[in-house]
């Protein structure tokens, strides 16, 4: 197996919010990411799935260094990313790039496409100034856009084209890891397929590693080698994509997978609907976070289960399968 | 119950009229769910807004008729339409958070519908609102009655919107992308709720969506729209088993499947043409793998397919009743499959 490119260890991030009462000085914590560890090997695609509000995007931002976690460590290529400073941090940042969720909001409307894609070169001062233009043309060609678009502005493009521009910008510095935060969620199915195919081609060509964040389970299934399921800031199940999709173990994973609409009207499926709504991350339940909604809840679920291996390629945080009882 | 005949809705852009939807024909029976599928910009929402007569100020119904319960509602005045809207036909909008007014409580907003349409006393109305909230599966309906929309989650807000739409026992419910803004688990709950309500009340539902999974869960009959035109009409099983129009085939092919990890998805090249630059002939010709010279000159009509009596399609390359063809259909189907698989 290949080397681990990204290793996250016990990352924790809480946000402070003010209490509802305007006279109160009490502050509450939003438990966005709670003690998450994961490893991504070079060249693979790791899919991170979960409902909105489960901390997927916060985790992505911690990995790119856009926000500092409260505790925990992030290793990229064996180096502790969070300890780096100055020039070495700047250099390291080139290895991790991000494609954002909303193609309409992630491009500066006042810059031309050429300027947007050239920005990484200018910031990191790579290539000679005259070379940069050539490189931008190459990148546009790579993502399937014509070089005559260079002097146009983002509003002249459709959602799919903008996402291509976002991808061109992300691969400009030859990063090793690209984080796709809901990169195709805002697109129509036919355009979504185009962008997914493009990402696949780029991965083969540049041996990229993807962290693919999405709430769309079919898309994650399509692209991922390994996946992790998040619920209220914690990873509840992780492992090989084929194993998890064919035999989900955690009750939350089961419910999530059964909620996917069927692909064909004749397909028969049993739905396991969880009771109630997602609890607020301000005061999450004690112990296993699912204990307020889980159909198999036991008394031991008041204490937190650990993520433990049950098969070679599958880890679950649930007392139904762990022998910690 | 509902019949739309040759509906054309046009928009005025720079003093010129452009048809956003053209010659739409829809029939919907009582107790039936009809899905309209298509990408953004294909005219799905405009069709539903025309039906409710809630078009933006630069849009107008330029021809055609909408027959609802034997009356042409395009000829209705404002007052008559107001009486119909919310009472007999009601609508669920895409984004539940923005469909509710943030300064009123949820209960008040549902009660408003009753204030407008029904002659109940205030206590009766409050009681009715609470029973409605209970019906759509809201726990503690009395607390939610006094809650403001921002205090509720997206799924809860959508339930409130559905309760509002059901307040006056409508016969026809138009749902415009009711679950697009929601998570899968919540989506599953809302779809189940709509299906249950349909059975309990014998509702007719016109469901607008871009998600073929939702279609497979809900629909009895499906209409596929592309660039303001209906390109294929079929019942649900026929559509998934034997899609005929190249656009429908492309749509079904480009959905990522969860049963296996695929390599390359089939994708339709290009994008939906804009309303001001519609191509001549068949509107799909710029993206179609089968487009021939004829497709660029003459516009095909929506006609019945020869081997499926319940399926209509708008394409020169499919054998239709009354369609003039040069090639036998078997050959063309082979060609289509070949092009599709070579792109895969």
């Amino acid at each position: 197996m290949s080397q681990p490119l990204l290793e996250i260890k016990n990352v924790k991030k809480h946000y402070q919010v003010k209490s509802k009462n305007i006279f109160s000085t009490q502050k509450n914590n939003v438990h966005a990411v709670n003690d998450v560890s994961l490893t991504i090997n070079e060249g693979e695609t790791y899919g991170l799935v979960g409902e909105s509000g489960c901390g997927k995007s916060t985790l992505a931002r911690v990995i790119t260094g856009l926000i500092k976690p409260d505790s925990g460590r992030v290793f990229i290529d064996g180096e502790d990313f969070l300890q780096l400073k100055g020039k070495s941090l700047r250099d390291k940042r080139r290895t991790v790039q991000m494609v954002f969720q909303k193609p309409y909001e992630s491009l500066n409307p006042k810059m031309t496409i050429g300027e947007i894609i050239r920005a990484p070169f200018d910031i990191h001062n790579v290539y000679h100034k005259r070379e940069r233009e050539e490189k931008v043309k190459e990148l546009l060609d790579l993502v399937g856009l014509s070089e005559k678009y260079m002097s146009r502005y983002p509003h002249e493009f459709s959602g799919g084209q903008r996402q291509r521009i976002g991808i061109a910008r992300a691969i400009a510095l030859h990063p090793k890891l690209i984080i796709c935060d809901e990169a195709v969620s805002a697109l129509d199915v036919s355009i979504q397929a185009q962008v997914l195919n493009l990402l696949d081609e780029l991965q083969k060509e540049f041996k990229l590693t993807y962290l693919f964040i999405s709430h769309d389970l079919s898309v994650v299934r399509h692209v991922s080698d390994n996946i992790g399921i998040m619920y209220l800031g914690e990873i509840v199940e992780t492992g090989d994509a084929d194993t998890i999709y064919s035999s989900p173990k955690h009750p939350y994973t089961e419910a999530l997978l059964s909620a996917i609409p069927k692909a064909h009207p004749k397909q028969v499926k049993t739905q396991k609907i969880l009771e109630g709504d997602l609890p607020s991350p301000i005061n999450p339940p004690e112990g296993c976070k699912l204990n307020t909604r889980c159909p198999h809840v036991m008394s031991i679920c008041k204490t937190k289960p650990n993520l433990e291996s049950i098969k070679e390629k599958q880890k679950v945080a649930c007392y139904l399968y762990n022998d910690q009882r | 119950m509902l019949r739309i005949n040759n509906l054309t809705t046009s928009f005025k852009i720079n003093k010129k009229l452009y048809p956003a939807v053209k010659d739409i024909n829809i029939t919907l029976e009582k107790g039936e769910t009809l899905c309209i599928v298509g990408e953004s910009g294909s005219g799905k929402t405009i069709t539903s807004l025309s039906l409710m007569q809630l078009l933006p100020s630069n849009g107008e119904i330029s021809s055609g008729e909408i027959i609802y319960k034997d009356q042409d509602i395009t000829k209705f005045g404002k007052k008559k339409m107001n009486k119909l809207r919310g009472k007999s036909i009601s609508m669920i909008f895409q984004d539940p958070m923005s469909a509710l007014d943030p300064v009123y409580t949820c209960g008040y907003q549902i009660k408003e519908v009753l204030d407008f349409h029904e002659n109940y006393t205030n206590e009766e109305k409050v009681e009715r609102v609470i029973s409605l909230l209970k019906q759509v599966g809201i726990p503690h309906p009395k607390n939610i009655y006094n809650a403001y929309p921002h205090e509720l989650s997206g799924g809860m807000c959508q339930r409130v919107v559905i309760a509002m739409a059901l307040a006056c026992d409508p016969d026809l419910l138009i749902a415009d992308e009711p679950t697009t803004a929601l998570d899968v688990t919540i989506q599953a709950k809302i779809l189940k709720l709509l299906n249950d309500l349909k059975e309990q009340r014998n509702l007719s539902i016109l469901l607008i969506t871009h998600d073929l999974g939702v279609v497979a869960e809900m629909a009895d009959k499906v209409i596929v729209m592309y660039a303001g035109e209906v390109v294929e009409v079929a019942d649900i099983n026929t559509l998934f088993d034997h899609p005929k129009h190249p656009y429908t085939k492309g749509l079904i092919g480009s959905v990522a499947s969860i049963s296996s990890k695929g390599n390359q998805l089939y994708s339709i090249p290009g994008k939906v043409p804009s309303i001001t630059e519609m191509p001549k002939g068949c509107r799909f010709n710029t993206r179609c793998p089968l487009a021939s010279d004829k497709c660029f000159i003459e516009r095909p009509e929506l006609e019945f397919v020869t081997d499926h009596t319940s399926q209509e399609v708008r394409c020169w390359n499919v054998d239709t009743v009354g369609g003039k063809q040069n090639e036998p259909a078997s050959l063309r189907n082979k060609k289509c499959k070949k092009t599709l698989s070579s792109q895969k």
Side-chain angles (χ1 to χ4, degrees):
Chain A
M1 211 40 204
S2 40
Q3 289 285 313
L5 176 69
L6 172 78
E7 254 189 299
I8 306 174
K9 282 187 179 159
N10 306 88
V11 164
K12 198 183 256 182
K13 175 74 197 172
H14 291 183
Y15 291 108
Q16 278 201 337
V17 285
K18 280 193 184 138
S19 150
K20 252 187 194 168
N21 186 344
I22 52 167
F23 298 112
S24 155
T25 50
Q26 189 200 342
K27 285 191 177 142
N28 291 321
N29 278 331
V30 175
H31 298 231
V33 175
N34 234 346
D35 215 4
V36 166
S37 306
L38 63 88
T39 311
I40 302 179
N41 290 322
E42 216 167 324
E44 75 169 12
T45 303
Y46 189 93
L48 195 59
V49 202
E51 290 175 273
S52 44
C54 73
K56 306 179 300 262
S57 294
T58 304
L59 192 63
R61 278 157 194 266
V62 168
I63 297 168
T64 44
L66 290 175
I67 44 180
K68 280 236 155 83
D70 297 341
S71 65
R73 308 174 89 177
V74 177
F75 292 96
I76 294 168
D77 254 347
E79 261 184 284
D80 193 340
F81 189 45
L82 301 171
Q83 301 300 324
L84 295 174
K85 285 201 175 75
K87 189 166 183 311
S88 49
L89 174 66
R90 211 182 162 92
D91 285 347
K92 202 79 200 164
R93 280 203 163 145
R94 287 173 55 176
T95 54
V96 186
Q97 293 290 323
M98 194 157 168
V99 179
F100 293 92
Q101 178 166 13
K102 293 186 179 155
Y104 290 86
E105 289 163 22
S106 57
L107 302 177
N108 187 342
K110 287 187 170 176
M111 282 162 86
T112 64
I113 301 311
E115 285 165 350
I116 288 174
I117 300 177
R118 212 184 59 213
F121 298 145
D122 294 343
I123 291 165
H124 287 275
N125 204 9
V126 282
Y127 303 124
H128 196 275
K129 274 191 184 135
R130 260 163 281 154
E131 260 182 308
R132 286 178 193 165
E133 191 129 318
E134 275 309 303
K135 288 285 169 193
V136 170
K137 280 180 191 164
E138 268 174 39
L139 284 168
L140 276 174
D141 187 49
L142 258 175
V143 296
L145 292 174
S146 154
E147 60 180 65
K148 65 177 186 223
Y149 290 151
M150 265 177 68
S151 53
R152 296 206 192 166
Y153 288 90
H155 72 263
E156 296 173 67
F157 294 91
S158 67
Q161 286 172 317
R162 282 181 221 215
Q163 207 55 297
R164 283 169 194 267
I165 295 163
I167 292 171
R169 176 175 62 180
I171 59 170
L173 295 167
H174 296 291
K176 287 184 178 165
L177 175 68
I178 291 189
I179 299 173
C180 304
D181 188 2
E182 305 268 12
V184 295
S185 311
L187 308 173
D188 274 316
V189 268
S190 72
I191 311 291
Q192 193 173 323
Q194 292 173 9
V195 174
L196 287 176
N197 287 343
L198 172 68
L199 286 171
D200 191 44
E201 281 158 26
L202 292 174
Q203 180 167 37
K204 281 185 188 132
E205 197 166 336
F206 298 107
K207 300 203 173 57
L208 291 169
T209 308
Y210 289 132
L211 172 59
F212 200 91
I213 297 175
S214 179
H215 67 271
D216 188 334
L217 291 144
S218 337
V219 170
V220 168
R221 169 77 178 131
H222 182 78
V223 297
S224 309
D225 303 312
N226 287 315
I227 57 171
I229 315 273
M230 268 184 102
Y231 182 74
L232 276 180
E234 283 172 7
I235 289 188
V236 295
E237 185 161 1
T238 178
D240 174 60
D242 290 327
T243 319
I244 289 185
Y245 273 81
S246 56
S247 65
K249 287 289 185 277
H250 198 280
Y252 179 68
T253 319
E254 282 182 343
L256 201 61
L257 291 179
S258 80
I260 308 172
K262 48 192 175 186
H264 193 282
K266 283 178 189 156
Q267 192 181 330
V268 189
K269 63 164 196 181
T270 44
Q271 260 190 7
K272 293 178 181 166
I273 290 184
L274 288 177
E275 291 300 314
D277 269 359
L278 203 67
S280 151
I282 293 179
N283 280 315
E286 287 282 311
C288 172
K289 296 272 165 80
L290 195 67
N291 68 24
T292 51
R293 303 169 75 190
C294 182
H296 313 289
V297 67
M298 301 173 285
S299 54
I300 195 172
C301 297
K302 290 278 174 216
T303 51
K304 195 185 163 206
N306 290 327
L307 200 60
E308 297 215 345
S309 302
I310 52 159
K311 274 188 205 164
E312 194 188 338
K313 289 176 177 171
Q314 195 171 13
K315 283 182 177 176
V316 183
C318 180
Y319 287 114
L320 286 173
Y321 306 99
N322 295 0
D323 296 323
Q324 301 163 9
R325 285 177 271 186
Chain B
M1 190 170 75
L2 173 76
R3 216 170 65 238
I4 299 180
N5 290 333
N6 296 322
L7 175 79
T8 301
T9 303
S10 309
F11 278 81
K12 214 175 210 168
I13 299 167
N14 293 335
K15 294 185 181 166
K16 258 180 155 176
L17 270 181
Y18 293 101
V21 295
K22 205 172 169 191
D23 296 339
I24 302 285
N25 287 299
I26 292 174
T27 35
L28 178 62
E29 308 288 337
K30 196 153 181 52
E32 195 180 50
T33 306
L34 176 71
C35 280
I36 304 185
V37 206
E39 289 175 276
S40 38
S42 59
K44 306 174 304 240
T45 302
I46 299 300
T47 310
S48 69
L49 291 180
S50 310
L51 186 55
M52 291 291 270
Q53 300 197 16
L54 289 172
L55 288 167
S57 57
N58 63 341
E60 55 169 34
I61 297 175
S62 38
S63 69
E65 43 185 19
I66 301 170
I67 314 249
Y68 177 70
K69 291 188 173 165
D70 302 323
Q71 279 178 302
D72 186 357
I73 59 172
T74 53
K75 299 204 170 63
F76 276 22
K78 240 184 183 168
K79 256 192 177 161
K80 243 177 152 179
M81 204 53 218
N82 275 345
K83 273 199 177 146
L84 198 69
R85 236 185 261 138
K87 169 115 177 118
S88 183
I89 308 179
S90 59
M91 189 158 174
I92 303 171
F93 293 91
Q94 178 164 5
D95 188 355
M97 296 301 212
S98 51
L100 293 171
D101 192 329
V103 298
Y104 295 107
T105 62
C106 295
Y108 179 86
Q109 292 185 54
I110 303 174
K111 201 170 72 116
E112 221 179 357
V113 186
L114 297 171
D115 288 339
F116 194 85
H117 289 293
E118 312 275 355
N119 290 320
Y120 293 148
T121 63
N122 202 38
E123 282 93 67
E124 279 173 339
K125 282 182 204 158
V126 174
E127 220 167 86
R128 169 120 179 101
V129 171
I130 290 178
S131 83
L132 277 167
L133 287 173
K134 210 181 271 169
Q135 262 184 49
V136 294
I138 289 182
H140 320 297
K142 278 182 189 149
N143 299 345
I144 300 295
Y145 186 93
N146 289 317
Y148 288 90
H150 73 266
E151 297 175 77
L152 305 179
S153 65
M156 280 297 174
C157 278
Q158 195 60 291
R159 280 165 202 257
V160 171
V161 173
I162 293 175
M164 201 188 286
L166 295 175
C168 294
D169 272 320
D171 298 315
L172 171 63
L173 186 66
I174 303 172
D176 187 357
E177 308 256 9
T179 57
T180 308
L182 307 173
D183 278 315
V184 268
T185 50
I186 320 274
Q187 165 171 299
K189 283 184 199 171
I190 298 283
L191 292 182
K192 190 167 176 292
L193 173 68
L194 283 176
N195 260 339
D196 291 348
L197 288 169
K198 175 189 150 193
E199 263 162 44
Q200 281 164 22
R201 301 180 171 221
N202 204 15
L203 261 179
S204 306
I205 302 179
L206 183 65
L207 183 74
I208 294 168
T209 180
H210 68 269
D211 187 342
L212 283 165
V214 173
V215 175
E217 293 270 335
M218 300 286 294
D220 298 315
K221 221 167 87 184
V222 190
I223 287 180
V224 184
M225 280 186 81
Y226 180 77
E229 284 182 337
V230 175
V231 295
E232 187 159 357
V233 183
D235 66 70
I236 174 80
N237 288 325
T238 320
L239 189 89
F240 277 86
D241 289 340
H242 312 282
K244 291 282 185 206
H245 197 280
Y247 178 63
T248 319
K249 287 182 184 173
L251 266 189
I252 293 176
S254 51
V255 176
S257 148
I258 73 145
S259 46
S260 64
K261 181 175 159 41
N263 297 324
Q264 242 339 12
L265 283 173
Y266 172 67
S267 66
I268 310 173
K271 54 173 181 145
V272 181
S274 100
I275 170 176
T276 50
E277 312 163 333
M278 279 299 163
K280 226 183 139 206
C282 172
R283 290 185 168 183
F284 189 55
N285 61 19
T286 50
R287 305 172 73 188
C288 185
L290 305 174
S292 61
D293 292 345
K294 193 176 187 181
C295 304
F296 287 93
I297 303 161
E298 237 178 302
R299 178 170 174 250
E301 292 297 322
L302 193 65
E303 278 164 338
F304 281 106
V305 178
T306 37
D307 45 351
H308 279 277
T309 44
S310 61
Q311 194 175 14
E312 289 172 82
V313 73
R314 188 192 293 279
C315 181
W316 288 123
N317 292 306
V318 176
D319 264 349
T320 51
V321 178
K324 298 161 229 144
Q325 244 86 46
N326 316 321
E327 274 181 277
S330 54
L331 209 131
R332 235 171 294 115
N333 275 343
K334 254 184 210 160
K335 231 177 165 181
C336 188
K337 264 182 205 155
K338 224 178 171 180
T339 357
L340 284 176
S341 57
S342 70
Q343 272 165 337
K344 260 181 192 173

